[in-house]
Amino acid sequence: MFKFSCYSYKRIQSGFVFRIQLMHTLHVVGARPNFMKAAPVLRALEAHSKTLQIPLRQTLVHTGQHYDAAMSGVFFQQLEMPKPDFNLGVGSGTHAQQTAAVMLAIEPVLLESKPDLVLVYGDVNSTVAAAMVCSKLGIRVGHVEAGLRSGDRTMPEEINRLLTDQISDLLFTPSPDGDENLLREGIDRAKIHHVGNVMIDTLVRLLPRAEQHFLSGIPTPYALVTLHRPANVDDLPWLRELLETLADLSSQLHIIFPVHPRTRQRIDHLGSQSGLNGRLRLMEPQPYLEFLALQRHAAIVITDSGGIQEETSFLGVPCLTVRENTERPITTSHGTNQLVGRDLNRLREAAAVIIKQISNGRASSQVKFPEASRVPLWDGHAAERIAKIVMTKIVVTKIVVTKIIASGSAE
Ligand code: UD1
């Protein structure tokens, strides 16, 4: 095989010459949880194209939905992601403003760069906005983390998931429930690929490094807390009750709480009414490695995040989710996750199970609640499976038979 700038030629024995055009994938990321999902896919596509000797161009577009260094820049460094080729700088706004801003800004980029496939990640506003523009331009879309459903249409992410999946051409699901949801919604089975969890790929790769990033001065044992869902933090009376409950728990277990910017604004708004007291340790949002180390060594995690339900399940760390539902039911059936809903007594009772084990002398790493079992395909290789599927599906459509040769020498 030999290569020119944007084509590679393959001659096969029968005498056909195939021309494989340069393949171009464009990745769209926007908000914090997208970065750890895109990083392994970029790497796997690069590696797979080298193995197959198929020329590949990759373009990375950052919509700028998250823009603070602590929410974005530091993740690019730690995940060793390439600098984005485009930063659309859309920033914050209402859902309509943010979604529309991404759509307006990404359309010229897509028209100019003409990718063969656009990969979108997760369920944030940037995901659905990019998918909609591609769909209208006739550009194929692959959705990484397809098929997850909470069944709760009051969550903005649920709307983003439903719409993105309906208009995607390749749907990469992390767990079997994703496949079932998509089939129930009438998606063609041929588009659905159960590949596993790309977020776990990043965790597996970086966990050894994270051990060196455990923050000094963290008192043990501790509960790690994150809260950022509008249903929890935009409802100020509820947020106040939640903070008071955490403050109560902190008399028995240290509480470490890296605070999302949305939540910080709401806590500032509550001011002295926030129910906080000095025993709750609030800190800035943490970089990927520092946060992973905090999860790894926590006695328990209290959260409303989706990704953290998955990471704690993989790590075997007990997780209490302050939501009525989850789009990741596999974390409750196979993992360590328990939904406590909007019921502070359930939160207290579930935390008490852990606190009791710790006061009986059990180390944080040995707390049992409940036993986790491995989720199939959460093995660190999901992105490789995606890369193989992408290369097969896209390259096949780009192969052009250029010449049938009689005597054997390729042109
Ligand atoms: C978004 C995603 C959510 C994801 C979360 C992870 C949607 C609908 N929501 O929620 O699914 O779990 O990201 O963090 O896409 N802000 C900053 N600096 C930043 C980014 C945001 O200060 O770098 C503040 C802004 O005031 C902004 C608020 O945080 O208004 C919320 O940000 P936004 O992107 O709108 O939603 P998230 O709550 O972060």
Side-chain angles (χ1 to χ4, degrees):
M1 188 169 86
F2 51 99
K3 289 186 201 168
F4 297 134
S5 56
C6 67
Y7 298 111
S8 76
Y9 290 81
K10 271 190 178 173
R11 183 159 61 81
I12 61 166
Q13 279 183 335
S14 63
F16 289 95
V17 173
F18 289 88
R19 189 182 69 171
I20 302 174
Q21 294 176 356
L22 178 77
M23 181 184 148
H24 183 192
T25 55
L26 185 146
H27 305 250
V28 181
V29 294
R32 186 169 62 176
N34 291 159
F35 308 139
M36 41 287 223
K37 293 170 193 165
V41 180
L42 281 154
R43 298 165 86 86
L45 275 168
E46 183 73 31
H48 200 54
S49 78
K50 284 201 176 118
T51 309
L52 295 180
Q53 293 185 280
I54 290 172
L56 172 72
R57 176 176 160 210
Q58 302 208 73
T59 299
L60 181 58
V61 176
H62 189 334
T63 65
Q65 178 173 343
H66 283 177
Y67 43 85
D68 286 351
M71 297 294 285
S72 172
V74 71
F75 285 81
F76 274 72
Q77 287 158 28
Q78 292 197 338
L79 301 171
E80 297 162 314
M81 288 175 75
K83 201 168 163 294
D85 300 283
F86 298 91
N87 192 324
L88 309 180
V90 301
S92 304
T94 64
H95 286 275
Q97 285 166 346
Q98 205 170 48
T99 309
V102 174
M103 291 180 77
L104 285 173
I106 205 168
E107 187 177 50
V109 172
L110 294 170
L111 286 169
E112 170 81 27
S113 53
K114 300 187 178 60
D116 299 303
L117 176 73
V118 171
L119 286 171
V120 296
Y121 297 85
D123 55 16
V124 303
N125 286 341
S126 301
T127 310
V128 68
M132 280 198 286
V133 177
C134 290
S135 172
K136 302 227 173 173
L137 292 176
I139 299 171
R140 277 174 293 189
V141 181
H143 184 204
V144 178
E145 200 187 82
L148 298 186
R149 298 288 181 269
S150 65
D152 176 0
R153 293 199 180 186
T154 65
M155 281 180 79
E157 292 82 2
E158 184 76 351
I159 307 302
N160 295 344
R161 292 180 201 117
L162 281 159
L163 298 182
T164 304
D165 285 340
Q166 278 298 323
I167 55 179
S168 290
D169 303 279
L170 291 173
L171 296 112
F172 299 110
T173 61
S175 45
D177 49 275
D179 297 42
E180 287 158 25
N181 292 332
L182 294 173
L183 290 170
R184 201 179 45 245
E185 289 165 17
I187 307 261
D188 182 353
R189 186 181 285 277
K191 294 181 179 175
I192 306 170
H193 303 275
H194 177 205
V195 291
N197 191 326
V198 287
M199 204 168 193
I200 300 300
D201 289 8
T202 296
L203 187 158
V204 168
R205 183 170 79 87
L206 293 178
L207 189 57
R209 209 176 303 168
E211 289 298 333
Q212 289 131 44
H213 286 252
F214 189 66
L215 296 173
S216 61
I218 296 290
T220 54
Y222 62 88
L224 177 66
V225 174
T226 82
L227 297 168
H228 75 280
R229 296 269 163 219
N232 278 330
V233 305
D234 291 359
D235 175 350
L236 294 184
W238 166 251
L239 176 63
R240 189 169 148 218
E241 280 185 62
L242 202 45
L243 293 172
E244 281 169 355
T245 305
L246 294 173
D248 282 351
L249 281 178
S250 73
S251 62
Q252 297 159 283
L253 193 62
H254 300 289
I255 302 236
I256 307 295
F257 185 1
V259 187
H260 184 285
R262 170 193 282 277
T263 313
R264 175 70 70 179
Q265 287 166 13
R266 305 302 184 264
I267 291 175
D268 289 349
H269 192 80
L270 282 171
S272 58
Q273 304 295 304
S274 69
L276 286 177
N277 69 35
R279 291 171 302 185
L280 267 181
R281 182 151 166 193
L282 269 52
M283 55 173 70
E284 291 304 303
Q286 290 301 301
Y288 182 78
L289 294 170
E290 282 74 1
F291 190 77
L292 182 53
L294 281 172
Q295 281 191 82
R296 169 89 178 75
H297 295 288
I300 188 168
V301 173
I302 299 170
T303 191
D304 57 11
S305 151
I308 293 171
Q309 295 169 47
E310 298 179 335
E311 290 172 336
T312 47
S313 283
F314 186 84
L315 294 168
V317 174
C319 178
L320 299 181
T321 297
V322 189
R323 284 174 47 189
E324 297 289 349
N325 49 55
T326 178
E327 62 288 340
R328 289 154 163 100
I330 199 109
T331 61
T332 58
S333 60
H334 286 58
T336 54
N337 188 24
Q338 259 190 34
L339 298 181
V340 294
R342 278 169 73 96
D343 182 339
L344 294 170
N345 284 331
R346 274 168 71 196
L347 175 60
R348 281 195 199 91
E349 282 161 19
V353 173
I354 304 296
I355 291 166
K356 189 165 173 226
Q357 291 184 44
I358 285 174
S359 45
N360 287 343
R362 210 170 247 190
S364 298
S365 58
Q366 280 153 7
V367 166
K368 297 277 179 273
F369 168 88
E371 286 288 356
S373 59
R374 285 248 166 237
V375 180
L377 303 188
W378 290 22
D379 58 359
H381 300 288
E384 289 160 36
R385 290 186 275 271
I386 291 176
K388 283 183 187 151
I389 294 161
V390 165
M391 296 299 262
T392 312
K393 298 270 176 199
I394 307 300
V395 167
V396 163
T397 64
K398 297 207 82 180
I399 290 179
V400 185
V401 178
T402 56
K403 192 176 177 188
I404 302 171
I405 45 172
S407 61
S409 73
E411 64 177 7

